[in-house]
Amino acid sequence: PDDENILTHPDYIDGNPDLIKPKKLLNPVKASKSHQELHRELLMNHKRGLGMESKPELQRVLEHRRRNQLIRQKKEEEEAKKLQSPFEKELLKRHQRLDQLEKEQEKQEEHAPEFIKVKENLRRT
């Protein structure tokens, strides 16, 4: 009997027909068709015992998109190489040659004795 006094009862239970009774709000996520379909699919897969060892559909779709994007990117690079003019090709060759020469000079400077390095620095100043 004491529990009934502690709990409060809503006012709309008294049966007054003029009052508007509140309705429970719908969760927009759960009310969406895509969520319901996904939930139904998950329940069916769970009943069949599927889904635990296989990848989820979202992961499969994302991997498929990444794969297609990489293929598309490689094709674009190949097309760009094919469309290079002779001038651009020559510039690229010269740039590679200069990079190679710089690397060789750095290697030679690293193996040179210390007094030669100091002498070169003195000449520069």
Side-chain angles (χ1 to χ4, degrees), residues 41-92:
E41 183 181 344
L42 288 172
L43 286 175
M44 292 293 290
N45 286 343
H46 182 69
K47 287 179 184 176
R48 293 184 201 155
L50 301 175
M52 293 301 179
E53 63 277 346
S54 63
K55 294 181 182 177
E57 183 179 357
L58 177 63
Q59 189 175 1
R60 286 192 309 248
V61 169
L62 290 175
E63 287 177 357
H64 183 70
R65 283 185 184 176
R66 276 190 223 117
R67 196 176 324 114
N68 286 345
Q69 190 177 18
L70 287 173
I71 291 171
R72 200 176 320 119
Q73 190 176 20
K74 287 179 183 178
K75 284 182 182 179
E76 289 175 0
E77 289 175 1
E78 289 176 5
E79 289 177 7
K81 287 181 181 179
K82 289 179 183 178
L83 297 176
Q84 282 183 342
S85 66
F87 178 70
E88 290 174 336
K89 289 179 184 178
E90 191 63 32
L91 282 176
L92 184 63

Side-chain angles (χ1 to χ4, degrees), residues 21-34:
K21 296 179 182 173
K23 294 181 181 178
K24 187 175 181 181
L25 296 175
L26 293 176
N27 185 347
V29 174
K30 289 187 177 181
S32 71
K33 278 278 193 204
S34 61

Side-chain angles (χ1 to χ4, degrees), residues 80-118:
K81 287 181 181 179
K82 289 179 183 178
L83 297 176
Q84 282 183 342
S85 66
F87 178 70
E88 290 174 336
K89 289 179 184 178
E90 191 63 32
L91 282 176
L92 184 63
K93 286 180 185 177
R94 286 187 179 196
H95 182 68
Q96 290 173 349
R97 240 185 288 138
L98 286 174
D99 287 343
Q100 191 176 17
L101 287 174
E102 287 177 2
K103 288 179 184 177
E104 288 175 4
Q105 286 178 351
E106 288 176 3
K107 286 181 183 178
Q108 288 176 356
E109 289 176 3
E110 289 175 3
H111 296 296
E114 186 67 29
F115 69 92
I116 294 178
K117 292 179 186 177
V118 172

Side-chain angles (χ1 to χ4, degrees), residues 5-16:
N5 293 336
I6 296 172
L7 296 175
T8 58
H9 296 288
D11 296 335
Y12 58 86
I13 293 183
D14 61 0
N16 189 347

